Amino acid sequence: MSGAREAGPVILAVGGISLAFGGVKALSEVGFDVREHEVRAIIGPNGAGKSSMLNVINGVYRPQQGRITYLGETREEMEPHFAASHGIARTFQSLALFKGMSVLDNLLAGRNLLMRTNLLLQALRIGPALREEVAHRRRVEEIIDFLEIQHVRKTPVGRLPYGLQKRVDLGRALAAEPRVLLLDEPMAGMNVEEKQDMCRFILDVNDEFGTTIVLIEHDMGVVMDISDRVVVLDYGRKIGDGTPDEVRSNQAVIDAYLGVQH
Amino acid sequence: MSAGKFFQQRGMTWVLLGLLALGAVAPLVVGGARLPQWLEVVLGGLMSGVLYSLVAIGLVLIFKASGVFNFAQGAMVLFAALSLVRLMAWMPLPVALAVTVAMMVALAWLIERLVLRPLVNQEPIVLFMATLGVTYFLDGFGQTLWGSDIYTLDVGMPKEPKILLENVFEGGILVGMEDVIAALIAAILVGALALFFQKTGTGRALRAVADDHQAAQSIGIPLGRIWVIVWSVAGIVALVAGIIWGSKLGVQFSLQLIALKALPVVILGGFTSIPGAIVGGLIIGLGEKISEVYLGPMLGGGIENWFAYVLALVFLLVRPEGLFGERHIDRV
Amino acid sequence: MFYRETGQYKTTYEADQQLFPILQDRLFVIAVLAFAFAVVPLVASEYLLRAILVPFLILSLAAIGLNILVGYCGQVSLGTGGFMAVGAYAAYNLAVRIPDLNLLVVFVLAGLAATLVGILFGLPSLRIKGFYLAVATLAAQFFLDWAFARIKWFTHDSSSGSVSAPPLAIFGWLVDSPAEKYLLVLGFVCVFALAARNLVRGAIGRSWMAMRDMDVAAEVIGIRPLYAKVTAFAVSSFFVGLAGALWAFVYLGAWEPLAFDVNRSFQLLFMVIIGGLGSILGSFLGAAFIVILPLALNQLPGWLGIPMSTALISHIEFMVFGSLIVFFLVVEPHGLARLWAVGKEKLRLWPFPH
C-alpha cells in the first residue's frame, strides 16, 4: 500500500459501458469509479477488455452504450482531444512511441498541448516562440532527470532497448502534467529489477504530483502491493471491485483466474 | 443496426451510386441525346471499363498476396506488350507469347529478390514508393531494349465493327468486335483465376498468405515462392491487358497512362476484391465515356484525364474501403 | 581530427537548442553562405548559373515543401507538380492583372494561392491514408493539369496555351542577368529553408512527426489530426507554390502546363527519397543529385566514346532513377542526408575510431 496519500472525491466514473466490434463484444455494462490521488488497478485474464476500457476512457474507442463522468461532467463518449486537454494521459501496452523522434522530442510532443505560439512565430523562432521552447525544455529535462534517462535524451527512440522505451512512454505521458494517468501494462516484458524501478516511478508520481493512476497489470504481486482499489474484468464484464484484500477473497475472481467451467 | 448507422455505413454509398446512375441516363432525359447513340456510348464505356478491370485485377492479386500496392502494374502492361510486339518480328506468335510469359516470370522473380524480400515488414507506403522506382526502371528498360516508337500489334483480332439491333433502331448501333472479344477474354481470365484460387493447393496457399503473412509462413508456406507466383500471374494478366489495349491503340508509351486508370478503379472497388475490380472498372469506364461525350463539350473537353480520379476521390470520402473492400479497425 | 565538439559545453538550453550547436558547423555554414552570395555570382559561368544553380535552388525549395509533407508528416503526395502549377499561374495572373503589384508580393501571394488549393486537396487526408491518399493527390494533379490547359481565364486567353512572365523588376531592380536571377532565388531559398528548419524543430514539427510515426498515440496526447495534417499540407503547398512561381518566372520565363505535369511530381518525390525523408539538408542533396545526374549522363557517350541517341540517354536516366529509388529505400531510407551524417560521425572520430 502506498501510505501517505489521502484518496479524494471521485474524479472519474464510468457506468454501463458496452462496446462491440462488429459482433464481438469487448465490454458489456461495465461501471466503476476512480477517486482523486488513488492508484486504481484493472485486472483480468487476457481478452477481458482491460485495454478497451482505457481506450474508452480517453476516447480512442466510442462505446455503443454508457456514460463517462469526468471532473463532474457526464458524456456518452470521450473525445481524445478533450481527454488530453483536460488532464488524462496514458501509456500503451505495445509501445506507441514516435520512433523517428528523439527522446527529447517525444517528451516535448507530450507538452505540445501546452504550447501556444502561432505558426508564423514558430517559423521565425523569435520572441515568445523561442522563450516557450526553452521553458518547456526545462520542464521536460526535469522529467528526464526523474526517469533517469539523461544519457539518451537525443537518441531516436526506435534505437533504445525495450525497458528504456517503456520509461520514455511514461515520460511522454508525464510531460503533459496529467491529473489522471492511464497505464496499460507498464511492466509487461520486464525483469524483476526493471519492474521494481517502474513501481518506484509510479509510486513517486502518485506521491509527488498527486496524480491519480489507473493501471492495468498482470503481475498480481505488483497490483496487490501498489494499488488502493482493484476492478476485475472477465469476458468484458466486471466480476469484482474493491480493495486488494476484498478482491483476493472474491469467489468469482478466484474462479476466473483458476478457470471454472462457465 | 439502427437506421442511422446503416445510413452512415451503406446509405451514402447507395446515394452516390444512385446519383451516378441518374447522371448516366441524364443525357437521354434532359440532354436530348438519341437512344441509339447513347447506347453506343454506354457500350463503348463498358468495353473500356473491362480493359481497366483487366489491369485492376493484376493490382488486386498483388495487393491481396503481398500487401503491395503495385504502381508498376501499368508499366508491366506496357513492358509486356512491347516485348511481345517486338519479339513477333523475329518469331511466330506462339513462340513470342511463350518468351514474353517467360520474361514476365523472370521479372516477377527479380522483383521478389531485389525489392520485396529486402523490404519485407516495411510499411506499405515504403513498398508503394519502391514500386514507383520499379515503374521508372521498367519504363526505361523496356524502351532501351525495344525502342520507343509506336508499334502496331496484330494478333488476329477482328477489326471491323458490327452493326447490331438494326431492326430496332434506324441505322442500328455500332459495336467493335475486338471490344466484344476483349470482354470475353476478360471473363475467361476471371473464371480461370477464380478456379485457380479455389481449387488448387497453390491457390489455397495464396489465400492463406493474403490473410496473414506470418501465420502462413509459420505453417510452412514458402512466402517467397508465393510472391513470385502471384507477381507472375499479375505479369501474365498485364500481358493480356497489353495485347488487347495494344491491338486497339498500338503499343506506345501512352498505354502506361491509360493503365494508370486502374488506380481509381481499385480505389472504387476495394483493394482486396476481384469483383470490386470488375464493377469498379465498369463504373469508371462508363462514367468516363458518358461524361466525356455529354459533359465534355460544356467544359472544354479532355475531362476523361481526370474524371476517373475525381470520381474515385469522391467515393473515398464516402466509403474509404471501397465498394467491396473490407473495413478494418485500428487497435491500440 | 577536423571535427570535435569536445570542450564545447552548453550552459543554457538556448545554446543547446540553436540551429547548429557545434562551432565547426556554424563556421562551415557561414563560409558556404558567404561563398554562395559573394563569390559564386562573380566566378560562375553563365551556363552554370542558368542551367544548374538556378534550377537546383528552386527545386530544392519545392523539395523542402514536399519533404515537410512526406518526410515529416508521412503523407505521400503525387500532386506536387499540380501545386507548383497553381503557384506559377497564380503569380502570372496577379502580375498580369495587377501590373503595379510588387513582385515579391506576387510571389508570396502565389504561395498562398497554392496553400489554399493544397488545403482543399489535403482535407481528404483526414479520412484516407497511405497510397489511398497518393491516388487522391493524383486526382489533384490531373485535374489541375486539365484546368490550366483548358480554362482560358488562367492563361489570360492566350491562344497557344503557353504564357510568358513579365520582366522581373523588384523595387526598380531589373533582374535579368543570370547572376541576378541566381541571387534572387538564393535569397528566397535561404529565408525559407531557415523557416522550414525552424518549423520542423518546433511544436508544429513535432506534431507532424507524431502523426507520421504513430497517429493514434498522437491523438491521445492531444494533437489534433485535422490541424496537424492540414497545416502540413498548407505549409508544404506554400513552399511548393512559391517554388512553382519562381520556376515559371525566373527559370522558364515562358511556359505551358506541361512544365508541371505528373513527371514533375515524380521527380520531386524522387528528390525527397534520394535526398532523405525527413531532412531539410536532404532536400538540397536530393535536388542537387537529380539536377546533376542527367547532365552527367549526357556526358556519358563522350566519355565512353560510344554514340548514343538522346532518347536512349533519357531511357537510361529512367532506369538509373528507378534503380536508385529502390536502392535507397532498401539500403538507406534516410537517403543522402544520412550518408552525410555518417560521414561526419566518421570524421569526428578519425583517426582513432575506437
Side-chain angles (χ1 to χ4, degrees):
Chain A
M1 279 295 147
S2 45
R5 295 154 294 100
E6 281 285 304
V10 170
I11 183 171
L12 170 75
V14 291
I17 299 282
S18 295
L19 174 75
F21 300 109
V24 186
K25 279 209 155 184
L27 292 168
S28 32
E29 304 274 320
V30 177
F32 60 90
D33 60 17
V34 180
R35 294 175 177 281
E36 194 148 22
H37 309 311
E38 77 172 337
V39 177
R40 186 75 148 122
I42 304 178
I43 63 171
N46 281 326
K50 305 182 296 290
S51 292
S52 298
M53 195 62 237
L54 290 198
N55 282 330
V56 166
I57 292 177
N58 69 357
V60 177
Y61 291 164
R62 314 207 151 187
Q64 278 84 20
Q65 273 170 38
R67 24 181 216 286
I68 304 168
T69 308
Y70 179 60
L71 299 176
E73 233 182 286
T74 302
R75 52 187 68 229
E76 285 189 356
E77 55 185 33
M78 196 54 105
E79 199 265 315
H81 187 263
F82 178 88
S85 59
H86 288 76
I88 300 181
R90 75 169 286 184
T91 66
F92 295 85
Q93 177 184 358
S94 53
L95 291 160
L97 288 165
F98 308 130
K99 289 214 165 70
M101 298 161 69
S102 67
V103 170
L104 208 51
D105 277 341
N106 265 274
L107 266 59
L108 279 167
R111 292 184 74 79
N112 252 22
L113 258 180
L114 308 168
M115 302 195 187
R116 300 262 171 265
T117 49
N118 65 38
L119 216 68
L120 202 60
L121 282 172
Q122 284 185 46
L124 299 170
R125 210 178 172 89
I126 48 169
L130 188 58
R131 278 198 298 280
E132 190 177 61
E133 281 286 318
V134 173
H136 286 284
R137 171 78 187 268
R138 192 162 289 136
R139 295 286 295 128
V140 160
E141 287 289 345
E142 287 169 23
I143 293 164
I144 288 179
D145 283 347
F146 173 72
L147 294 173
E148 296 156 22
I149 45 178
Q150 299 93 334
H151 58 296
V152 292
R153 61 160 75 81
K154 288 189 179 169
T155 313
V157 166
R159 283 197 230 150
L160 296 179
Y162 180 74
L164 283 183
Q165 290 200 15
K166 278 282 196 194
R167 270 193 229 176
V168 178
D169 197 8
L170 179 61
R172 184 179 63 187
L174 288 179
E177 298 178 17
R179 290 183 73 168
V180 178
L181 184 55
L182 313 176
L183 302 175
D184 196 345
E185 301 200 18
M187 284 160 251
M190 286 186 165
N191 62 31
V192 177
E193 269 171 54
E194 289 171 326
K195 278 186 185 176
Q196 280 171 350
D197 281 345
M198 193 50 101
C199 277
R200 187 163 51 84
F201 290 135
I202 293 170
L203 290 177
D204 281 353
V205 169
N206 185 240
D207 266 354
E208 285 181 28
F209 311 125
T211 310
T212 309
I213 288 174
V214 180
L215 165 87
I216 294 177
E217 186 48 57
H218 271 299
D219 187 322
M220 279 307 131
V222 169
V223 170
M224 298 301 165
D225 271 356
I226 72 172
S227 49
D228 298 303
R229 289 191 299 153
V230 182
V231 180
V232 191
L233 298 184
D234 189 24
Y235 291 106
R237 292 176 187 284
K238 186 168 95 166
I239 57 169
D241 190 352
T243 66
D245 287 325
E246 287 166 6
V247 164
R248 217 189 316 243
S249 54
N250 180 331
Q251 191 56 44
V253 176
I254 296 169
D255 289 350
Y257 271 88
L258 298 182
V260 163
Q261 299 250 298
H262 286 275
Chain B
M1 203 187 293
S2 71
K5 286 244 159 96
F6 176 82
F7 192 74
Q8 262 180 2
Q9 284 183 7
R10 291 277 179 178
M12 278 308 286
T13 314
W14 287 112
V15 169
L16 210 60
L17 284 175
L19 281 177
L20 276 177
L22 270 182
V25 295
L28 279 179
V29 185
V30 291
R34 285 176 49 245
L35 185 62
Q37 194 217 350
W38 182 81
L39 272 176
E40 268 175 35
V41 174
V42 166
L43 274 175
L46 289 177
M47 291 304 175
S48 54
V50 168
L51 294 179
Y52 294 149
S53 300
L54 268 180
V55 186
I57 288 169
L59 271 171
V60 168
L61 281 176
I62 287 181
F63 185 80
K64 273 177 84 114
S66 53
V68 178
F69 185 38
N70 180 26
F71 197 85
Q73 190 70 26
M76 283 162 66
V77 171
L78 176 63
F79 181 75
L82 257 181
S83 304
L84 180 72
V85 79
R86 296 290 282 168
L87 284 169
M88 277 169 65
W90 298 82
M91 49 189 89
L93 178 62
V95 186
L97 263 178
V99 174
T100 310
V101 167
M103 285 179 75
M104 296 316 283
V105 173
L107 180 71
W109 185 80
L110 278 174
I111 288 177
E112 197 274 328
R113 264 301 145 97
L114 299 176
V115 184
L116 298 180
R117 194 176 296 184
L119 285 174
V120 73
N121 287 335
Q122 287 279 359
E123 284 181 52
I125 196 72
V126 171
L127 283 153
F128 171 69
M129 291 196 279
T131 64
L132 273 175
V134 173
T135 307
Y136 261 61
F137 177 82
L138 217 51
D139 282 346
F141 181 65
Q143 295 183 74
T144 305
L145 199 62
W146 304 122
S148 49
D149 297 329
I150 300 174
Y151 304 98
T152 40
L153 177 62
D154 186 8
V155 290
M157 295 241 273
K159 293 273 178 210
E160 70 285 359
K162 231 187 166 75
I163 295 170
L164 295 181
L165 302 177
E166 235 170 332
N167 41 0
V168 184
F169 304 115
E170 194 184 329
I173 55 175
L174 220 57
V175 178
M177 275 319 280
E178 55 182 351
D179 288 335
V180 176
I181 291 181
L184 276 175
I185 293 177
I188 293 169
L189 195 68
V190 169
L193 284 173
L195 273 179
F196 174 66
F197 269 94
Q198 300 300 331
K199 301 288 176 200
T200 66
T202 312
R204 261 196 302 282
L206 276 173
R207 278 185 292 148
V209 170
D211 250 16
D212 188 330
H213 289 183
Q214 281 179 349
Q217 215 168 4
S218 71
I219 56 164
I221 295 173
L223 216 51
R225 218 186 70 206
I226 295 294
W227 284 346
V228 173
I229 292 174
V230 171
W231 281 73
S232 302
V233 172
I236 292 163
V237 174
L239 172 63
V240 175
I243 292 173
I244 299 174
W245 275 120
S247 41
K248 214 172 139 123
L249 304 169
V251 177
Q252 53 179 321
F253 191 72
S254 66
L255 275 191
Q256 166 109 315
L257 273 182
I258 301 170
L260 218 55
K261 294 257 173 70
L263 302 181
V265 167
V266 284
I267 287 217
L268 196 76
F271 274 108
T272 46
S273 161
I274 288 188
I278 294 165
V279 175
L282 294 178
I283 293 179
I284 294 260
L286 183 63
E288 192 175 87
K289 202 55 127 225
I290 287 188
S291 64
E292 179 67 34
V293 172
Y294 295 106
L295 212 57
M298 279 181 259
L299 292 172
I303 63 173
E304 61 184 350
N305 287 334
W306 55 264
F307 183 83
Y309 294 90
V310 173
L311 188 64
L313 181 59
V314 172
F315 249 87
L316 266 182
L317 294 179
V318 174
R319 199 174 154 77
E321 66 277 19
L323 278 178
F324 293 79
E326 293 148 10
R327 192 175 269 261
H328 80 276
I329 304 159
D330 273 333
R331 292 194 185 266
V332 201
Chain C
M1 192 69 171
F2 305 107
Y3 206 84
R4 287 281 150 81
E5 71 260 30
T6 324
Q8 299 183 28
Y9 298 112
K10 316 290 185 320
T11 50
T12 61
Y13 292 129
E14 285 91 334
D16 193 42
Q17 286 178 326
Q18 59 187 318
L19 197 53
F20 300 101
I22 300 171
L23 181 68
Q24 287 94 327
D25 278 349
R26 278 201 296 282
L27 294 177
F28 177 70
V29 169
I30 291 170
V32 167
L33 284 179
F35 183 77
F37 273 104
V39 183
V40 171
L42 296 177
V43 299
S45 71
E46 201 162 291
Y47 171 79
L48 180 66
L49 289 166
R50 183 176 44 76
I52 299 179
L53 289 176
V54 166
F56 154 67
L57 286 169
I58 300 174
L59 291 176
S60 300
L61 191 63
I64 289 173
L66 183 60
N67 215 334
I68 286 174
L69 192 62
V70 183
Y72 286 95
C73 198
Q75 314 288 313
V76 171
S77 167
L78 298 177
T80 326
F83 296 129
M84 276 181 88
V86 173
Y89 283 94
Y92 170 75
N93 277 291
L94 284 164
V96 170
R97 288 166 202 275
I98 315 172
D100 293 333
L101 205 56
N102 187 304
L103 212 53
L104 292 182
V105 179
V106 167
F107 285 144
V108 171
L109 287 178
L112 289 175
T115 306
L116 287 180
V117 179
I119 290 174
L120 185 69
F121 281 99
L123 285 175
S125 69
L126 292 174
R127 291 209 61 179
I128 54 183
K129 297 179 191 171
F131 32 70
Y132 289 84
L133 185 65
V135 175
T137 56
L138 215 49
Q141 173 73 49
F142 289 128
F143 180 76
L144 292 168
D145 274 355
W146 173 85
F148 293 124
R150 302 288 177 134
I151 299 176
K152 291 288 177 212
W153 189 84
F154 290 124
T155 50
H156 217 227
D157 296 313
S158 136
S159 54
S160 63
S162 102
V163 294
S164 36
L168 294 168
I170 298 166
F171 300 120
W173 170 38
L174 189 66
V175 185
D176 56 357
S177 78
E180 286 170 317
K181 288 181 172 175
Y182 162 79
L183 281 172
L184 176 70
V185 172
L186 183 65
F188 266 107
V189 170
C190 286
V191 169
F192 284 98
L194 179 67
R197 191 78 184 79
N198 283 339
L199 284 173
V200 297
R201 67 203 180 108
I204 190 72
R206 284 191 294 274
S207 60
W208 293 337
M209 291 187 277
M211 289 306 297
R212 171 196 70 190
D213 284 352
M214 189 60 79
D215 52 356
V216 180
E219 206 176 346
V220 164
I221 63 170
I223 290 168
R224 287 179 191 273
L226 173 74
Y227 185 73
K229 284 181 176 175
V230 167
T231 49
F233 265 97
V235 172
S236 164
S237 313
F238 179 84
F239 277 72
V240 169
L242 177 64
L246 289 172
W247 187 257
F249 275 49
V250 182
Y251 177 63
L252 294 175
W255 71 94
E256 43 192 80
L258 217 58
F260 303 101
D261 68 357
V262 71
N263 287 316
R264 176 76 55 208
S265 300
F266 288 135
Q267 187 194 36
L268 282 160
L269 188 63
F270 290 173
M271 281 180 197
V272 171
I273 295 173
I274 291 177
L277 289 163
S279 160
I280 301 292
L281 173 69
S283 312
F284 284 98
L285 296 177
F289 189 85
I290 289 203
V291 168
I292 292 169
L293 186 73
L295 299 171
L297 282 176
N298 270 314
Q299 302 300 317
L300 197 66
W303 293 338
L304 295 178
I306 310 164
M308 289 186 198
S309 69
T310 43
L312 182 61
I313 291 172
S314 91
H315 298 152
I316 292 177
E317 196 184 309
F318 265 72
M319 283 165 69
V320 173
F321 278 140
S323 323
L324 279 172
I325 294 305
V326 174
F327 172 83
F328 272 102
L329 286 172
V330 169
V331 179
E332 189 46 88
H334 296 285
L336 293 171
R338 176 87 191 126
L339 294 180
W340 168 264
V342 169
K344 247 170 50 168
E345 190 69 13
K346 291 245 166 79
L347 213 58
R348 192 166 73 93
L349 299 173
W350 188 83
F352 306 112
H354 295 293

